[in-house]
Amino acid sequence: MSDALRLRLVFSLLMSFVMSLLMSAWVTWLNIGLHPDFMLRWRHAFLAAWPVAFTVVILCAPTVQGLSRIVIVKLRGD
């Protein structure tokens, strides 16, 4: 496995983990507040979200990175 592919996989794993953890906590809190079973529901939401988030990051990150480059170039005026 190349270093570039390894970097992409590790980045996708970590980015999807952090985003799923934070967003599932936020949405669970918005929906039920600090309910007695908040942690149980949060865990369930996180475990359901993480595989989806990982797949989205793996598939979309290269396109988003390319679009980000275009935006930066346009903002710089090159």
Side-chain angles (χ1 to χ4, degrees):
M1 180 184 301
S2 71
D3 284 345
L5 180 57
R6 189 171 295 133
L7 176 63
R8 184 172 169 200
L9 289 172
V10 170
F11 171 81
S12 298
L13 186 73
L14 294 174
M15 180 60 76
S16 63
F17 176 83
V18 170
M19 290 301 297
S20 296
L21 191 74
L22 295 174
M23 292 307 298
S24 62
W26 178 249
V27 172
T28 302
W29 179 76
L30 286 175
N31 284 326
I32 67 168
L34 290 176
H35 198 270
D37 65 346
F38 174 82
M39 294 301 288
L40 181 66
R41 291 180 184 221
W42 178 16
R43 185 184 71 187
H44 182 272
F46 168 73
L47 292 174
W50 193 13
V52 176
F54 177 75
T55 303
V56 169
V57 172
I58 278 285
L59 295 175
C60 296
T63 302
V64 173
Q65 190 174 27
L67 290 171
S68 299
R69 282 190 189 107
I70 291 169
V71 168
I72 293 301
V73 167
K74 295 287 184 188
L75 289 175
R76 263 195 328 216
D78 293 350

